[in-house]
Amino acid sequence: MQEDDHAATNGDQRTGRASRWGLRGAIALLLVAAAATIWFTNAWLTTRFSETTRVRTELRSALYTGNLLSELQRTSVVPLLLARDPSLILALSGNNFSGSSARLISAQKEIGAASIRLLDASGRLVGSTDRNLLGKNYVQEPFFVEPLRSKDTVFNVTTNPQGGYEFTYSRAVVSDGRTLGVVVVGTDLTPLVRSWAGISDAIAVTDSEGNIILSTEPRWRGLTLPEALAVRSAPSAISRAFQVTADWTSPAADAYLQGKAVMQAETRIPFRGWKMISFTTYDSVRERVNAVLALVIMGFAILLAAAFYLLSRRARVESAAYMRESADLRALNMRLTREIAERERVQKELRVAEQTVQQSSKLAALGEMSAGVSHELNQPLAAMKTYLAGARLLLQRGRGEEALSSFQRIDDLVERMGAITRQLKSYARKGGEAFEPVDLRAALSSALVMMEPQLRSRTIRLQRNAPRFPVMVYCDRIRLEQIIINLLRNAVDAIKGIRDPAIEITVSAGSHAFLSVRDNGPGVSDLENLFEPFFTTKTPGEGTGLGLAISSGIAADFGGRLTAHNASDEGGKGAVFELELPLLDPGRKTGPRMAAE
């Protein structure tokens, strides 16, 4: 019965998981559909509304162009009328200009021109609607020079003292075939520009050379269009962020105006090659598109809210099931708490054991030091015993001078034992204090003298090969001899029980100084652990396993190294130990000439 309930529970869980995954899949598809719909709607509406805005902008530009042409044409007929005015002709003929300015002011009120000026044949201003300019000479101005040449109404664009542009129509006053002066009529296009600024975002009018002569942006006047678009303040980080978020769905912008993306429309003005360029932002497009997108997003949000509601109901059902399992989790938590306490107790005991091991390690280090002293003093003591026996025999035979030589050797051995104890005490400090130039051949000879009793105790064929020139190294002589003695002693021990035992010692010099000791014993079985402390292949009581470890450390202090390999790798038998040390003079690389001794 319990198995049936368990199976039913598992079936319900599988059904619930499948239902949850199905609902989550539906939500994921809904999100993908929402993103695709919003993207497509935005792209389509943006293109459509942008085209509508562009058409509206072009119609507005055509209207502005008509107004501009109408104003210019209205002003263009005024110079012709005034050039035929009898009062102005009479004034220029008789040089009597007392009433000329009054006549021009009256004409300005009737016509609505911006300004009217009368210049005599010398270019001097003799009549003007602005009496402050009377007497000024304009003989080099285009609106004076060009009418005299063409005898017709001439249009000119000149720069005024305020930095703006002045638009004038001028015509020569001719009477009886004689040029009396020039009438200059200025037109004011500022009201038109003000009306444009109140409706459009930005409008500019360029002449035939591309220079902006009219603009709703005062800073643009006198610049080319690329220069004008570049004149803008550097946007801040916040402004750039708003620009990116505002332009992410807009079509490629024609230009940027005050940090905003704008569309650019260009209209040709049928007057002297002029062009009208209008800039319209995408704000109206974005507002209309965003209104539609808001409705679309709202619809998808309602669908998502319904899906999340279904998920929340299922979550409440699952929460009730999880609460029933909380009792088992609490019991498990209690068991884990007990196990943690037990682990902490074991860790405390482990720390106590570690302290005990550390103390044992200290005692082992003391034992290692005493074993090292015993190992290194064994050879000098054996030699001293031999020399004492020889000295006793010589004294018995009355050969005192030869006995004194043996006593001198014993004294040298005592000094050597003192040096060895000092070296063993300073072994942990990695370095000696008696470094000097040493001939490797001489150190080998001294070591052979120390090993003479062991070498003569058996029949051993000893071959020594050394160059005829000194092989100088920079090291501690006593410690170098210690390395050689350890290598010779190991070779002697390795050939015990070997028929026809032999040891070959070779000294050579190349890029470094080399000393190799080769025996014909069985070789070394474990080369990896050979230089580890307390590792030995000898029987208990015959060796401590410290000789090669100490020798390797001394070689490292000298800047060299001690290596070993089996002669079987070279087609022979036995083991080969090689000591490599830096030469005292590294520039000397003459190959050795070997001589058998």
Side-chain angles (χ1 to χ4, degrees), residues 94-156:
N95 290 327
N96 183 12
F97 308 107
S98 58
S100 299
S101 295
R103 175 69 184 97
L104 295 179
I105 292 173
S106 174
Q108 179 189 22
K109 294 179 179 179
E110 295 175 358
I111 300 172
S115 64
I116 303 176
R117 284 167 286 184
L118 179 64
L119 284 70
D120 61 9
S122 65
R124 184 171 60 91
L125 185 64
V126 295
S128 174
T129 54
D130 185 359
R131 299 179 184 273
N132 295 325
L133 300 178
L134 293 176
K136 191 174 181 180
N137 197 296
Y138 295 95
V139 67
Q140 295 182 352
E141 294 295 335
F143 55 74
F144 175 76
V145 176
E146 292 181 7
L148 296 179
R149 296 173 179 173
S150 65
K151 305 300 183 181
D152 200 357
T153 302
V154 178
F155 179 80
N156 284 286

Side-chain angles (χ1 to χ4, degrees), residues 440-515:
L440 188 56
R441 303 179 306 165
L444 174 60
S445 299
S446 299
L448 289 173
V449 171
M450 291 286 297
M451 289 294 297
E452 184 178 354
Q454 286 84 352
L455 294 173
R456 287 186 175 180
S457 63
R458 300 175 54 196
T459 304
I460 300 175
R461 182 166 51 87
L462 179 65
Q463 182 180 357
R464 181 170 61 166
N465 302 316
R468 298 185 183 278
F469 55 83
V471 181
M472 303 301 295
V473 296
Y474 188 71
C475 62
D476 185 345
R477 180 188 183 96
I478 300 298
R479 300 175 73 188
L480 176 59
E481 294 176 4
Q482 181 181 348
I483 296 176
I484 300 174
I485 290 172
N486 282 331
L487 296 180
L488 291 174
R489 188 180 56 215
N490 285 340
V492 171
D493 294 338
I495 58 179
K496 286 182 179 179
I498 300 297
R499 187 176 181 180
D500 190 19
I503 297 176
E504 181 183 355
I505 307 172
T506 302
V507 176
S508 61
S511 61
H512 288 72
F514 298 93
L515 183 145

Side-chain angles (χ1 to χ4, degrees), residues 308-320:
F308 285 130
Y309 172 74
L310 294 177
L311 281 178
S312 65
R313 286 191 59 186
R314 187 172 298 277
R316 285 196 297 270
V317 174
E318 293 177 352
S319 176

Side-chain angles (χ1 to χ4, degrees), residues 190-211:
T190 304
L192 287 178
V193 176
R194 290 200 197 97
S195 64
W196 299 344
I199 300 175
S200 301
D201 294 311
I203 292 179
V205 176
T206 61
D207 58 12
S208 58
E209 298 179 355
N211 297 318

Side-chain angles (χ1 to χ4, degrees), residues 26-28 30-31 34 297-310:
I27 292 176
L30 181 61
L31 291 175
I297 294 173
M298 185 180 298
F300 281 108
I302 293 173
L303 293 177
L304 284 176
F308 285 130
Y309 172 74
L310 294 177

Side-chain angles (χ1 to χ4, degrees), residues 367-376 427 486 489-490 493 529-553:
E368 178 183 344
M369 179 63 71
S370 63
V373 172
S374 175
H375 180 274
E376 296 299 330
Y427 177 68
N486 282 331
R489 188 180 56 215
N490 285 340
D493 294 338
N529 299 317
L530 186 60
F531 296 101
E532 296 295 330
F534 299 105
F535 175 80
T536 180
T537 59
K538 302 175 183 177
T539 59
E542 293 185 357
T544 61
L546 292 172
L548 291 177
I550 294 174
S551 299
S552 178

